[in-house]
Amino acid sequence: MNTNTDWAYRVFEPHGSEGWRPYGSDPDRWQGAITAPDSAEGAKHAIGRIVADLMTEWERTGLHHAMHVRVFLWHDEEGDISDADFVVEVRPRSDFDTA
C-alpha cells in the first residue's frame, strides 16, 4: 500500500543573543505542511524539498553564500522547536584557502 505522511515545517534564522526567529521578511512563506512518502526516507525527502526551495530562492536573489538557517520538521503538526522530530542546519559555504 502506498501511503504518505504529513509533516509541518518552519524555517528559522539566527537572531544574535535572542536565539532563532522565523526566517525572512515573509516568515509565512517558510512555514507550512509538506507531504512525503510514508517510509524511512520520508522525512529526509521532505527536508530535502524544503532545502532545495530555499537554495533556489537564494540563487535567484544572489544570497546563496550568506544564508544560515535551521529547518524544523514535525510529524503532523507544528509544535515547540524543542519538540521537533528533525532539525537540519544549513550554513554558508566557507571556502578558505589554507595555502
Side-chain angles (χ1 to χ4, degrees):
M1 185 172 165
N2 211 2
T3 60
N4 293 313
T5 299
D6 292 325
W7 298 93
Y9 70 91
R10 184 182 285 252
V11 180
F12 287 86
E13 63 185 338
H15 191 56
S17 62
E18 294 179 33
W20 295 83
R21 68 176 176 197
Y23 170 70
S25 59
D26 182 11
D28 290 339
R29 177 168 174 356
W30 298 105
Q31 163 189 2
I34 191 167
T35 301
D38 189 15
S39 69
E41 300 297 313
K44 289 180 185 179
H45 177 76
I47 288 176
R49 287 175 44 201
I50 296 162
V51 170
D53 285 349
L54 281 163
M55 293 177 78
T56 299
E57 180 80 7
W58 297 338
E59 285 286 334
R60 186 182 64 75
T61 59
L63 297 173
H64 58 280
H65 293 294
M67 303 315 299
H68 180 192
V69 298
R70 284 186 182 165
V71 179
F72 291 81
L73 194 68
W74 297 268
H75 188 259
D76 288 324
E77 62 185 47
E78 183 177 337
D80 188 65
I81 61 173
S82 63
D83 296 329
D85 293 295
F86 297 94
V87 179
V88 172
E89 190 158 347
V90 180
R91 292 178 166 251
R93 281 181 50 182
S94 56
D95 294 322
F96 296 106
D97 205 353
T98 57

